[in-house]
């Protein structure tokens, strides 16, 4: 039976890539917690690069006075450009990794560009400090606003807190599990392609309310991200077992066909699982930085509170932290199943 597991393990992904994924995850956590978000944005570096290069072009092309079909065609070509750019970057990253193979440090750093972990926790801690200090909220919520592309003008504290709490689950899915899984399957090209699509979806998808322009990016990202989305939700549900007042039974219920759930574009199963684990209500309407209305579903158990406090953010941060630990343990377990010693790294 162990031999069958090893064969299945090798068919899905290359075991030699697992130590690189572990090192990249640990490095992202440490650097992010020390330096904080880059320029007030907790998303991966690759997302920021794509935003800087394609954001202005996309803003001009996404003229909402055009028809839905025309916007979809424009979005299609921009998505192809973004995917091509991501693959070119992956080739460059691969060349750098090949040129500097010592301890695979270069490859680890290249993978880190597609990921974000500690920076999101840093932003959430700043959010908690802003709530508890009862001072001006601008500094505490600025990173959350930039990372989620949400216009905080006119939003109350509870709306901002819900966004900050949900960000932990979304980032774990899109900026940790997704890149790692595709790196294990297809190396740096897989990780960069997925990260590129995730970045385009974040920038232009408007969580499914893009009026056609972000449809192609959202569709392709969903094809690549469905399995990571499920894995992320399972890790979050399992983390509920180790989180004070975090119900694993409630979280597991969130994996099923519950009524109040997040659509995939709004975070999907990880956000739904987080809301059920903490017995809170997430989501709700807001506006993005371009002024578009984002009519998110309300997510969570019936009669759960939507008036979240700093304590809720602490609990959510702890739960997502445990989910990262469980992911790390799973990767280490995969090394054991694959029969590869960590010293081979």
């Amino acid at each position: 039976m162990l031999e069958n597991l090893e064969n299945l393990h090798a068919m899905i992904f290359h075991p030699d890539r697992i130590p690189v994924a572990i090192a990249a995850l640990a490095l992202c956590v440490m650097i992010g917690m020390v330096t904080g978000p880059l320029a007030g944005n907790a998303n991966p570096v690759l997302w920021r690069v794509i935003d800087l290069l394609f954001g202005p072009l996309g803003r001009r092309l996404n003229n909402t006075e055009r028809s839905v079909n025309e916007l979809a065609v424009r979005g299609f070509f921009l998505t192809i450009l973004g995917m091509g750019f991501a693959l070119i970057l992956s080739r460059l990253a691969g060349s750098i990794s090949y040129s500097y193979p010592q301890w695979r440090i270069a490859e680890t750093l290249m993978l880190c560009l597609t990921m974000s972990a500690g920076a999101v926790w840093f932003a959430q801690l700043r959010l908690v400090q802003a709530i508890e200090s009862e001072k001006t909220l601008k500094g505490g919520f600025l990173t959350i606003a930039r990372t989620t592309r949400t216009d905080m003008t006119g939003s109350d504290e509870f709306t901002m807190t819900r966004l900050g709490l949900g960000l932990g689950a979304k980032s774990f899915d899109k900026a940790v599990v997704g890149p790692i899984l595709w790196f294990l399957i297809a190396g740096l090209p897989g990780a960069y392609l997925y990260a590129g699509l995730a970045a385009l979806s974040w920038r232009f998808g408007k969580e499914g309310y893009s009026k056609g322009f972000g449809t192609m990016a959202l569709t392709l990202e969903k094809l690549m991200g469905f399995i990571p989305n499920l894995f992320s939700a399972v890790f979050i549900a399992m983390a509920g077992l180790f989180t004070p007042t975090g119900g694993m039974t409630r979280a597991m219920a969130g994996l099923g066909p519950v009524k109040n759930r997040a659509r995939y574009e709004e975070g999907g199963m990880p956000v739904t699982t987080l809301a059920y684990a903490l017995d809170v209500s997430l989501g709700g309407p807001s506006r993005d930085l371009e002024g578009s209305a984002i009519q998110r579903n309300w997510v969570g158990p019936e009669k759960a509170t939507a008036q979240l406090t700093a304590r809720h953010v602490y609990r959510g941060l702890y739960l997502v932290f445990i989910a990262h630990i469980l992911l790390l343990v799973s990767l280490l377990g995969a090394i054991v199943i694959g029969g590869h010693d960590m010293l081979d790294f």
Side-chain angles (χ1 to χ4, degrees):
M1 181 176 180
L2 181 59
E3 183 179 354
N4 292 333
L5 284 174
E6 291 179 0
N7 292 336
L8 179 62
H9 184 272
M11 288 174 60
I12 297 175
F13 53 78
H14 202 297
D16 288 342
R17 296 187 180 124
I18 300 175
V20 176
I22 293 174
L25 176 57
L27 191 60
C28 284
V29 169
M30 291 187 292
I31 293 178
M33 287 298 295
V34 172
T35 66
L38 177 64
N41 190 320
N43 287 317
V45 173
L46 182 59
W47 291 29
R48 296 296 315 282
V49 172
I50 288 180
D51 182 23
L52 291 173
L53 291 179
F54 296 96
L57 175 61
R59 190 181 303 113
R60 290 194 294 270
L61 292 176
N62 190 15
N63 184 352
T64 54
E65 295 182 359
R66 302 285 183 174
S67 67
V68 173
N69 289 337
E70 184 174 353
L71 288 176
V73 171
R74 292 184 175 197
F76 169 80
F77 284 110
L78 186 66
T79 301
I80 296 301
L81 285 176
M83 292 171 62
F85 176 73
L87 289 175
I88 291 173
L89 283 183
S90 73
R91 292 292 299 271
L92 177 61
S95 298
I96 294 174
S97 301
Y98 181 80
S99 300
Y100 300 94
Q102 295 83 359
W103 295 94
R104 302 179 74 176
I105 294 176
E107 188 177 14
T108 300
L109 293 175
M110 294 300 102
L111 180 58
C112 283
L113 299 180
T114 69
M115 298 171 59
S116 179
V120 176
W121 305 347
F122 188 100
Q124 289 180 309
L125 289 173
R126 285 284 304 276
L127 171 64
V128 170
Q129 293 171 359
I131 296 172
E132 292 182 334
S133 66
E134 298 183 356
K135 296 180 181 179
T136 176
L137 300 177
K138 181 178 179 181
F141 287 99
L142 181 59
T143 300
I144 302 297
R146 288 177 175 174
T147 305
T148 61
R149 293 195 52 79
T150 301
D151 182 3
M152 296 296 191
T153 305
S155 299
D156 59 22
E157 182 178 314
F158 298 126
T159 299
M160 302 176 192
T161 308
R162 289 194 299 270
L163 286 171
L165 180 56
L167 174 62
K170 290 182 180 179
S171 181
F172 178 60
D173 173 30
K174 307 298 182 187
V176 176
V177 177
I180 285 178
L181 181 61
W182 280 105
F183 172 74
L184 296 177
I185 294 173
L188 288 176
Y192 273 66
L193 180 59
Y194 174 77
L197 286 171
L200 292 169
S201 298
W202 162 76
R203 181 60 180 82
F204 303 113
K206 298 180 183 289
E207 301 190 22
Y209 298 95
S210 67
K211 298 181 180 180
F213 187 76
T215 300
M216 178 57 65
L218 286 170
T219 300
L220 294 178
E221 192 279 328
K222 187 174 183 178
L223 287 173
M224 293 189 70
F226 178 78
I227 298 301
N229 194 262
L230 174 59
F231 282 177
S232 302
V234 171
F235 282 123
I236 290 176
M238 293 172 60
L241 180 64
F242 305 98
T243 303
T245 69
M248 182 176 178
T249 302
R250 291 196 307 266
M252 287 299 182
L255 295 174
V258 292
K259 179 179 179 182
N260 301 323
R261 62 185 299 108
R263 299 183 305 124
Y264 179 87
E265 295 80 2
E266 299 169 359
M269 289 181 282
V271 171
T272 303
T273 304
L274 179 68
Y276 275 82
L278 300 179
D279 194 25
V280 298
S281 184
L282 298 177
S286 66
R287 304 189 73 85
D288 73 356
L289 296 180
E290 278 80 36
S292 301
I294 309 297
Q295 301 293 337
R296 297 184 188 88
N297 294 335
W298 287 102
V299 182
E302 294 288 345
K303 300 182 180 180
T305 181
Q307 298 182 350
L308 308 187
T309 64
R311 178 172 172 270
H312 292 106
V313 180
Y314 268 129
R315 291 168 57 202
L317 177 58
Y318 182 83
L319 191 148
V320 173
F321 171 76
I322 296 299
H324 281 76
I325 297 297
L326 294 176
L327 171 61
L328 180 61
V329 171
S330 299
L331 291 172
L332 291 173
I335 291 178
V336 175
I337 294 175
H340 285 252
D341 196 309
M342 282 290 289
L343 294 177
D344 292 338
F345 180 57

